[in-house]
Amino acid sequence: MLLRVTVLTVVLLGLVVFSVLLAKVTLTPSPASEDIVTSNLRPGRSLRQYAEDYTFLAACKQAGGNLLLGVPFGLLLPFLVPRRLRMLSMTLLTAAAMILVELVQGALVTGRAFDIDDVILNTSGALLGYFLLGRRISHSYHAHAHAPRAQAVTPEAEPKAEERATPSRTKEKTLTKAGAKTKTGTHTRGTTKAKESAKAGTGTGRTRLTKARGASGRPTGDGAQPGSGRALLDRLRRR
């Protein structure tokens, strides 16, 4: 944000300074040229006049001055126009500004007249400045100016994705643990029931065996064993 404000401030100051210089150069009256200067609405007419009637240095000065007058447009306007169709927007703004200047010259300034060739030269100078330097520096500016927005949006989106993924993982872990506990409990219950069934079966078998022995008249317990002390006393008493 600070970079953007700084660059735009510098660009606006540059435009203000350039506008003052442009007004001084183009809107200064020239009474000596009042009888010579005529309006020109035919593209190329003044350029042919430079080539035919002017010396080489004078022609270069006249044409070169108009070219250089448009270069600042190609350097400064790309910072202010949208990134899309930047060259077209810059060209149209330059042409509109120079047409306005030429109209003011022809209507209000003494010794000045509207010349379409001046508009063409100024616009060509703006394109020259744009292709030489304005395109590169404005592209770098727009890339850096819009980069922080993309970086600010991405980290906010990533935590949301992680937050969405975390509950699902937690649910999966919870369900897995619950399933494991359920299986363990079922297995434990099954084992306990099997042990109880085995114990019940063993007890039932022993009870049946004891009953069978008692029914057959065989002694049960320690006192019923043959050869024991109690058995001998019982025999002696019976006799």
Short mmCIF file of all heavy atoms in Angstrom, two decimals, residues 128-181:
data_model
loop_
_atom_site.label_atom_id
_atom_site.label_comp_id
_atom_site.label_asym_id
_atom_site.label_seq_id
_atom_site.Cartn_x
_atom_site.Cartn_y
_atom_site.Cartn_z
N LEU A 128 6.39 6.27 -28.27
CA LEU A 128 7.83 6.02 -28.18
C LEU A 128 8.28 5.89 -26.72
O LEU A 128 9.02 4.97 -26.36
CB LEU A 128 8.58 7.16 -28.88
CG LEU A 128 10.11 7.03 -28.93
CD1 LEU A 128 10.52 5.82 -29.77
CD2 LEU A 128 10.72 8.30 -29.52
N GLY A 129 7.83 6.84 -25.89
CA GLY A 129 8.19 6.76 -24.47
C GLY A 129 7.61 5.53 -23.79
O GLY A 129 8.24 4.93 -22.91
N TYR A 130 6.41 5.12 -24.23
CA TYR A 130 5.79 3.94 -23.65
C TYR A 130 6.58 2.68 -23.97
O TYR A 130 6.85 1.84 -23.09
CB TYR A 130 4.35 3.82 -24.17
CG TYR A 130 3.66 2.55 -23.74
CD1 TYR A 130 3.16 2.41 -22.45
CD2 TYR A 130 3.50 1.49 -24.63
CE1 TYR A 130 2.52 1.24 -22.05
CE2 TYR A 130 2.86 0.33 -24.24
CZ TYR A 130 2.38 0.21 -22.95
OH TYR A 130 1.76 -0.96 -22.56
N PHE A 131 6.97 2.50 -25.22
CA PHE A 131 7.68 1.29 -25.61
C PHE A 131 9.12 1.27 -25.10
O PHE A 131 9.67 0.19 -24.84
CB PHE A 131 7.66 1.14 -27.14
CG PHE A 131 6.35 0.66 -27.67
CD1 PHE A 131 5.57 1.49 -28.47
CD2 PHE A 131 5.88 -0.61 -27.36
CE1 PHE A 131 4.35 1.05 -28.96
CE2 PHE A 131 4.65 -1.05 -27.85
CZ PHE A 131 3.88 -0.22 -28.65
N LEU A 132 9.75 2.45 -24.96
CA LEU A 132 11.13 2.48 -24.48
C LEU A 132 11.24 2.21 -22.99
O LEU A 132 12.10 1.44 -22.54
CB LEU A 132 11.77 3.82 -24.83
CG LEU A 132 12.09 4.06 -26.31
CD1 LEU A 132 12.67 5.45 -26.50
CD2 LEU A 132 13.04 3.00 -26.85
N LEU A 133 10.37 2.83 -22.20
CA LEU A 133 10.53 2.72 -20.75
C LEU A 133 9.21 2.58 -19.98
O LEU A 133 9.15 1.84 -19.00
CB LEU A 133 11.27 3.97 -20.24
CG LEU A 133 11.72 3.94 -18.78
CD1 LEU A 133 12.66 2.76 -18.52
CD2 LEU A 133 12.40 5.25 -18.42
N GLY A 134 8.18 3.26 -20.43
CA GLY A 134 6.93 3.29 -19.68
C GLY A 134 6.29 1.92 -19.51
O GLY A 134 5.72 1.62 -18.45
N ARG A 135 6.38 1.09 -20.52
CA ARG A 135 5.76 -0.24 -20.46
C ARG A 135 6.39 -1.09 -19.38
O ARG A 135 5.72 -1.78 -18.63
CB ARG A 135 5.88 -0.91 -21.83
CG ARG A 135 5.22 -2.27 -21.92
CD ARG A 135 5.19 -2.73 -23.37
NE ARG A 135 4.62 -4.06 -23.49
CZ ARG A 135 5.32 -5.18 -23.49
NH1 ARG A 135 6.65 -5.13 -23.39
NH2 ARG A 135 4.74 -6.35 -23.61
N ARG A 136 7.73 -1.06 -19.29
CA ARG A 136 8.44 -1.90 -18.32
C ARG A 136 8.18 -1.45 -16.88
O ARG A 136 7.85 -2.26 -16.02
CB ARG A 136 9.94 -1.86 -18.61
CG ARG A 136 10.32 -2.46 -19.95
CD ARG A 136 11.81 -2.37 -20.17
NE ARG A 136 12.19 -2.88 -21.48
CZ ARG A 136 13.44 -2.87 -21.95
NH1 ARG A 136 14.42 -2.36 -21.20
NH2 ARG A 136 13.68 -3.35 -23.16
N ILE A 137 8.36 -0.17 -16.64
CA ILE A 137 8.22 0.30 -15.25
C ILE A 137 6.77 0.23 -14.78
O ILE A 137 6.51 -0.08 -13.61
CB ILE A 137 8.79 1.72 -15.09
CG1 ILE A 137 8.09 2.71 -16.04
CG2 ILE A 137 10.28 1.74 -15.34
CD1 ILE A 137 8.56 4.14 -15.88
N SER A 138 5.82 0.49 -15.66
CA SER A 138 4.41 0.39 -15.25
C SER A 138 4.02 -1.07 -15.01
O SER A 138 3.24 -1.36 -14.10
CB SER A 138 3.50 1.02 -16.31
OG SER A 138 3.61 0.33 -17.54
N HIS A 139 4.56 -1.98 -15.81
CA HIS A 139 4.27 -3.41 -15.59
C HIS A 139 4.81 -3.87 -14.24
O HIS A 139 4.13 -4.60 -13.51
CB HIS A 139 4.89 -4.24 -16.72
CG HIS A 139 4.65 -5.70 -16.58
ND1 HIS A 139 3.43 -6.29 -16.83
CD2 HIS A 139 5.48 -6.72 -16.18
CE1 HIS A 139 3.51 -7.59 -16.60
NE2 HIS A 139 4.73 -7.88 -16.22
N SER A 140 6.02 -3.45 -13.91
CA SER A 140 6.60 -3.82 -12.60
C SER A 140 5.78 -3.23 -11.47
O SER A 140 5.54 -3.89 -10.45
CB SER A 140 8.04 -3.31 -12.52
OG SER A 140 8.84 -3.89 -13.53
N TYR A 141 5.33 -1.99 -11.64
CA TYR A 141 4.53 -1.35 -10.60
C TYR A 141 3.22 -2.11 -10.37
O TYR A 141 2.85 -2.41 -9.23
CB TYR A 141 4.24 0.10 -10.98
CG TYR A 141 3.08 0.69 -10.24
CD1 TYR A 141 3.18 1.03 -8.89
CD2 TYR A 141 1.84 0.88 -10.88
CE1 TYR A 141 2.11 1.56 -8.20
CE2 TYR A 141 0.77 1.41 -10.19
CZ TYR A 141 0.90 1.75 -8.86
OH TYR A 141 -0.17 2.26 -8.18
N HIS A 142 2.50 -2.43 -11.45
CA HIS A 142 1.23 -3.13 -11.31
C HIS A 142 1.43 -4.52 -10.72
O HIS A 142 0.59 -4.99 -9.93
CB HIS A 142 0.53 -3.21 -12.66
CG HIS A 142 -0.09 -1.92 -13.12
ND1 HIS A 142 -1.16 -1.36 -12.47
CD2 HIS A 142 0.24 -1.09 -14.14
CE1 HIS A 142 -1.49 -0.23 -13.10
NE2 HIS A 142 -0.66 -0.05 -14.10
N ALA A 143 2.54 -5.19 -11.07
CA ALA A 143 2.79 -6.53 -10.53
C ALA A 143 3.02 -6.47 -9.02
O ALA A 143 2.48 -7.30 -8.27
CB ALA A 143 4.01 -7.14 -11.23
N HIS A 144 3.80 -5.49 -8.56
CA HIS A 144 4.06 -5.36 -7.12
C HIS A 144 2.85 -4.82 -6.37
O HIS A 144 2.64 -5.16 -5.20
CB HIS A 144 5.26 -4.45 -6.89
CG HIS A 144 6.57 -5.07 -7.27
ND1 HIS A 144 7.11 -6.14 -6.59
CD2 HIS A 144 7.44 -4.80 -8.28
CE1 HIS A 144 8.26 -6.49 -7.15
NE2 HIS A 144 8.47 -5.69 -8.18
N ALA A 145 2.07 -3.96 -7.02
CA ALA A 145 0.93 -3.36 -6.34
C ALA A 145 -0.18 -4.36 -6.09
O ALA A 145 -0.86 -4.31 -5.07
CB ALA A 145 0.39 -2.19 -7.16
N HIS A 146 -0.35 -5.31 -7.03
CA HIS A 146 -1.43 -6.28 -6.89
C HIS A 146 -0.97 -7.57 -6.23
O HIS A 146 -1.81 -8.41 -5.90
CB HIS A 146 -2.04 -6.59 -8.26
CG HIS A 146 -2.73 -5.43 -8.89
ND1 HIS A 146 -3.95 -4.95 -8.44
CD2 HIS A 146 -2.37 -4.61 -9.92
CE1 HIS A 146 -4.32 -3.92 -9.17
NE2 HIS A 146 -3.38 -3.68 -10.07
N ALA A 147 0.33 -7.77 -6.05
CA ALA A 147 0.83 -9.00 -5.42
C ALA A 147 0.40 -9.14 -3.98
O ALA A 147 -0.01 -10.22 -3.56
CB ALA A 147 2.35 -9.07 -5.53
N PRO A 148 0.47 -8.11 -3.11
CA PRO A 148 0.05 -8.27 -1.71
C PRO A 148 -1.39 -8.72 -1.55
O PRO A 148 -1.72 -9.43 -0.62
CB PRO A 148 0.25 -6.87 -1.12
CG PRO A 148 1.28 -6.24 -1.98
CD PRO A 148 1.03 -6.78 -3.35
N ARG A 149 -2.30 -8.32 -2.47
CA ARG A 149 -3.68 -8.75 -2.36
C ARG A 149 -3.81 -10.25 -2.54
O ARG A 149 -4.50 -10.92 -1.80
CB ARG A 149 -4.54 -8.03 -3.42
CG ARG A 149 -4.65 -6.54 -3.19
CD ARG A 149 -5.55 -5.92 -4.23
NE ARG A 149 -5.67 -4.49 -4.05
CZ ARG A 149 -6.38 -3.69 -4.83
NH1 ARG A 149 -7.05 -4.21 -5.85
NH2 ARG A 149 -6.43 -2.40 -4.61
N ALA A 150 -3.09 -10.79 -3.54
CA ALA A 150 -3.14 -12.23 -3.77
C ALA A 150 -2.56 -13.00 -2.61
O ALA A 150 -3.06 -14.03 -2.19
CB ALA A 150 -2.39 -12.58 -5.06
N GLN A 151 -1.45 -12.47 -2.02
CA GLN A 151 -0.84 -13.15 -0.88
C GLN A 151 -1.73 -13.05 0.35
O GLN A 151 -1.71 -13.93 1.20
CB GLN A 151 0.52 -12.52 -0.58
CG GLN A 151 1.54 -12.76 -1.68
CD GLN A 151 2.84 -12.05 -1.42
OE1 GLN A 151 2.98 -11.34 -0.41
NE2 GLN A 151 3.79 -12.22 -2.31
N ALA A 152 -2.48 -11.95 0.48
CA ALA A 152 -3.34 -11.81 1.65
C ALA A 152 -4.54 -12.73 1.57
O ALA A 152 -5.04 -13.22 2.55
CB ALA A 152 -3.81 -10.36 1.80
N VAL A 153 -5.03 -13.01 0.36
CA VAL A 153 -6.19 -13.88 0.21
C VAL A 153 -5.81 -15.33 0.39
O VAL A 153 -6.54 -16.11 0.97
CB VAL A 153 -6.84 -13.64 -1.18
CG1 VAL A 153 -7.91 -14.68 -1.44
CG2 VAL A 153 -7.41 -12.24 -1.26
N THR A 154 -4.64 -15.74 -0.10
CA THR A 154 -4.24 -17.14 -0.07
C THR A 154 -4.11 -17.68 1.34
O THR A 154 -4.65 -18.74 1.65
CB THR A 154 -2.92 -17.32 -0.85
OG1 THR A 154 -3.10 -16.85 -2.18
CG2 THR A 154 -2.52 -18.78 -0.87
N PRO A 155 -3.38 -16.99 2.29
CA PRO A 155 -3.28 -17.54 3.63
C PRO A 155 -4.61 -17.66 4.34
O PRO A 155 -4.79 -18.50 5.20
CB PRO A 155 -2.36 -16.55 4.36
CG PRO A 155 -1.62 -15.85 3.30
CD PRO A 155 -2.55 -15.79 2.13
N GLU A 156 -5.58 -16.80 4.01
CA GLU A 156 -6.88 -16.89 4.65
C GLU A 156 -7.64 -18.10 4.13
O GLU A 156 -8.43 -18.70 4.85
CB GLU A 156 -7.69 -15.62 4.38
CG GLU A 156 -7.11 -14.40 5.11
CD GLU A 156 -7.91 -13.15 4.77
OE1 GLU A 156 -8.86 -13.28 3.97
OE2 GLU A 156 -7.59 -12.09 5.30
N ALA A 157 -7.43 -18.42 2.86
CA ALA A 157 -8.14 -19.55 2.29
C ALA A 157 -7.57 -20.87 2.77
O ALA A 157 -8.28 -21.85 2.95
CB ALA A 157 -8.11 -19.49 0.76
N GLU A 158 -6.24 -20.92 2.98
CA GLU A 158 -5.61 -22.16 3.39
C GLU A 158 -6.06 -22.62 4.76
O GLU A 158 -6.39 -23.79 4.95
CB GLU A 158 -4.09 -22.02 3.34
CG GLU A 158 -3.57 -21.93 1.91
CD GLU A 158 -2.07 -21.75 1.89
OE1 GLU A 158 -1.49 -21.58 2.98
OE2 GLU A 158 -1.50 -21.79 0.80
N PRO A 159 -6.10 -21.74 5.80
CA PRO A 159 -6.58 -22.21 7.10
C PRO A 159 -8.01 -22.73 7.06
O PRO A 159 -8.34 -23.66 7.78
CB PRO A 159 -6.48 -20.96 7.99
CG PRO A 159 -5.45 -20.13 7.36
CD PRO A 159 -5.58 -20.38 5.88
N LYS A 160 -8.86 -22.13 6.21
CA LYS A 160 -10.22 -22.62 6.11
C LYS A 160 -10.24 -24.05 5.59
O LYS A 160 -10.99 -24.90 6.06
CB LYS A 160 -11.03 -21.71 5.18
CG LYS A 160 -11.31 -20.34 5.78
CD LYS A 160 -12.15 -19.52 4.85
CE LYS A 160 -12.45 -18.14 5.46
NZ LYS A 160 -13.25 -17.31 4.54
N ALA A 161 -9.39 -24.31 4.60
CA ALA A 161 -9.32 -25.66 4.07
C ALA A 161 -8.81 -26.63 5.12
O ALA A 161 -9.29 -27.75 5.25
CB ALA A 161 -8.41 -25.69 2.84
N GLU A 162 -7.80 -26.17 5.91
CA GLU A 162 -7.28 -27.02 6.96
C GLU A 162 -8.32 -27.25 8.05
O GLU A 162 -8.45 -28.35 8.60
CB GLU A 162 -6.04 -26.38 7.57
CG GLU A 162 -4.85 -26.34 6.60
CD GLU A 162 -3.65 -25.68 7.23
OE1 GLU A 162 -3.78 -25.22 8.39
OE2 GLU A 162 -2.60 -25.63 6.57
N GLU A 163 -9.10 -26.18 8.38
CA GLU A 163 -10.14 -26.33 9.39
C GLU A 163 -11.22 -27.30 8.93
O GLU A 163 -11.79 -28.05 9.72
CB GLU A 163 -10.77 -24.96 9.70
CG GLU A 163 -9.82 -24.04 10.46
CD GLU A 163 -10.43 -22.68 10.63
OE1 GLU A 163 -11.58 -22.51 10.17
OE2 GLU A 163 -9.78 -21.80 11.22
N ARG A 164 -11.51 -27.26 7.63
CA ARG A 164 -12.50 -28.20 7.12
C ARG A 164 -11.98 -29.63 7.15
O ARG A 164 -12.72 -30.57 7.39
CB ARG A 164 -12.87 -27.83 5.68
CG ARG A 164 -13.66 -26.52 5.59
CD ARG A 164 -13.93 -26.18 4.15
NE ARG A 164 -14.62 -24.90 4.04
CZ ARG A 164 -14.88 -24.30 2.89
NH1 ARG A 164 -14.52 -24.88 1.75
NH2 ARG A 164 -15.50 -23.14 2.88
N ALA A 165 -10.70 -29.80 6.86
CA ALA A 165 -10.13 -31.14 6.84
C ALA A 165 -9.94 -31.69 8.24
O ALA A 165 -10.07 -32.90 8.46
CB ALA A 165 -8.79 -31.13 6.09
N THR A 166 -9.64 -30.83 9.23
CA THR A 166 -9.36 -31.30 10.60
C THR A 166 -10.56 -31.96 11.25
O THR A 166 -10.44 -33.04 11.82
CB THR A 166 -8.86 -30.12 11.46
OG1 THR A 166 -7.70 -29.58 10.85
CG2 THR A 166 -8.54 -30.60 12.86
N PRO A 167 -11.79 -31.38 11.20
CA PRO A 167 -12.93 -32.07 11.81
C PRO A 167 -13.20 -33.43 11.19
O PRO A 167 -13.55 -34.37 11.89
CB PRO A 167 -14.09 -31.11 11.57
CG PRO A 167 -13.46 -29.78 11.41
CD PRO A 167 -12.15 -30.05 10.75
N SER A 168 -13.03 -33.54 9.87
CA SER A 168 -13.27 -34.83 9.24
C SER A 168 -12.27 -35.87 9.72
O SER A 168 -12.63 -37.02 9.98
CB SER A 168 -13.20 -34.68 7.72
OG SER A 168 -11.92 -34.22 7.34
N ARG A 169 -10.99 -35.44 9.84
CA ARG A 169 -9.99 -36.37 10.36
C ARG A 169 -10.30 -36.75 11.81
O ARG A 169 -10.15 -37.92 12.20
CB ARG A 169 -8.60 -35.73 10.29
CG ARG A 169 -8.11 -35.51 8.86
CD ARG A 169 -6.77 -34.83 8.85
NE ARG A 169 -6.33 -34.57 7.49
CZ ARG A 169 -5.24 -33.88 7.19
NH1 ARG A 169 -4.47 -33.38 8.17
NH2 ARG A 169 -4.90 -33.68 5.94
N THR A 170 -10.74 -35.78 12.62
CA THR A 170 -11.07 -36.08 14.02
C THR A 170 -12.24 -37.06 14.09
O THR A 170 -12.23 -37.98 14.91
CB THR A 170 -11.44 -34.77 14.74
OG1 THR A 170 -10.37 -33.82 14.58
CG2 THR A 170 -11.67 -35.02 16.22
N LYS A 171 -13.24 -36.86 13.24
CA LYS A 171 -14.37 -37.78 13.23
C LYS A 171 -13.94 -39.18 12.83
O LYS A 171 -14.39 -40.17 13.40
CB LYS A 171 -15.44 -37.27 12.25
CG LYS A 171 -16.16 -36.02 12.74
CD LYS A 171 -17.19 -35.59 11.73
CE LYS A 171 -17.92 -34.34 12.21
NZ LYS A 171 -18.92 -33.89 11.22
N GLU A 172 -13.04 -39.27 11.83
CA GLU A 172 -12.57 -40.58 11.42
C GLU A 172 -11.83 -41.28 12.54
O GLU A 172 -12.02 -42.47 12.80
CB GLU A 172 -11.65 -40.45 10.19
CG GLU A 172 -12.40 -40.01 8.94
CD GLU A 172 -11.47 -39.81 7.78
OE1 GLU A 172 -10.24 -39.99 7.98
OE2 GLU A 172 -11.94 -39.50 6.68
N LYS A 173 -10.95 -40.50 13.26
CA LYS A 173 -10.22 -41.09 14.37
C LYS A 173 -11.18 -41.53 15.48
O LYS A 173 -11.02 -42.59 16.07
CB LYS A 173 -9.21 -40.09 14.93
CG LYS A 173 -8.04 -39.82 13.98
CD LYS A 173 -7.08 -38.84 14.59
CE LYS A 173 -5.91 -38.57 13.65
NZ LYS A 173 -4.96 -37.59 14.24
N THR A 174 -12.20 -40.71 15.79
CA THR A 174 -13.16 -41.04 16.84
C THR A 174 -13.93 -42.31 16.49
O THR A 174 -14.13 -43.19 17.32
CB THR A 174 -14.14 -39.88 17.04
OG1 THR A 174 -13.39 -38.69 17.32
CG2 THR A 174 -15.08 -40.17 18.19
N LEU A 175 -14.38 -42.38 15.21
CA LEU A 175 -15.11 -43.58 14.79
C LEU A 175 -14.23 -44.81 14.84
O LEU A 175 -14.68 -45.89 15.20
CB LEU A 175 -15.63 -43.36 13.36
CG LEU A 175 -16.73 -42.30 13.21
CD1 LEU A 175 -17.05 -42.09 11.74
CD2 LEU A 175 -17.98 -42.73 13.96
N THR A 176 -12.94 -44.67 14.47
CA THR A 176 -12.02 -45.80 14.51
C THR A 176 -11.82 -46.29 15.93
O THR A 176 -11.85 -47.49 16.21
CB THR A 176 -10.67 -45.39 13.90
OG1 THR A 176 -10.89 -44.89 12.58
CG2 THR A 176 -9.73 -46.59 13.84
N LYS A 177 -11.62 -45.33 16.88
CA LYS A 177 -11.44 -45.71 18.28
C LYS A 177 -12.70 -46.36 18.84
O LYS A 177 -12.64 -47.35 19.56
CB LYS A 177 -11.08 -44.48 19.11
CG LYS A 177 -9.68 -43.95 18.83
CD LYS A 177 -9.40 -42.74 19.70
CE LYS A 177 -7.99 -42.19 19.42
NZ LYS A 177 -7.71 -41.01 20.25
N ALA A 178 -13.86 -45.80 18.48
CA ALA A 178 -15.12 -46.37 18.97
C ALA A 178 -15.32 -47.78 18.44
O ALA A 178 -15.74 -48.69 19.16
CB ALA A 178 -16.29 -45.48 18.55
N GLY A 179 -14.98 -47.99 17.15
CA GLY A 179 -15.09 -49.33 16.59
C GLY A 179 -14.16 -50.31 17.26
O GLY A 179 -14.52 -51.46 17.52
N ALA A 180 -12.93 -49.86 17.56
CA ALA A 180 -11.97 -50.74 18.23
C ALA A 180 -12.45 -51.10 19.63
O ALA A 180 -12.37 -52.25 20.06
CB ALA A 180 -10.61 -50.07 18.29
N LYS A 181 -13.00 -50.09 20.36
CA LYS A 181 -13.51 -50.36 21.70
C LYS A 181 -14.70 -51.32 21.64
O LYS A 181 -14.84 -52.22 22.46
CB LYS A 181 -13.94 -49.05 22.36
CG LYS A 181 -12.77 -48.16 22.74
CD LYS A 181 -13.26 -46.90 23.42
CE LYS A 181 -12.09 -46.01 23.81
NZ LYS A 181 -12.54 -44.77 24.45
#
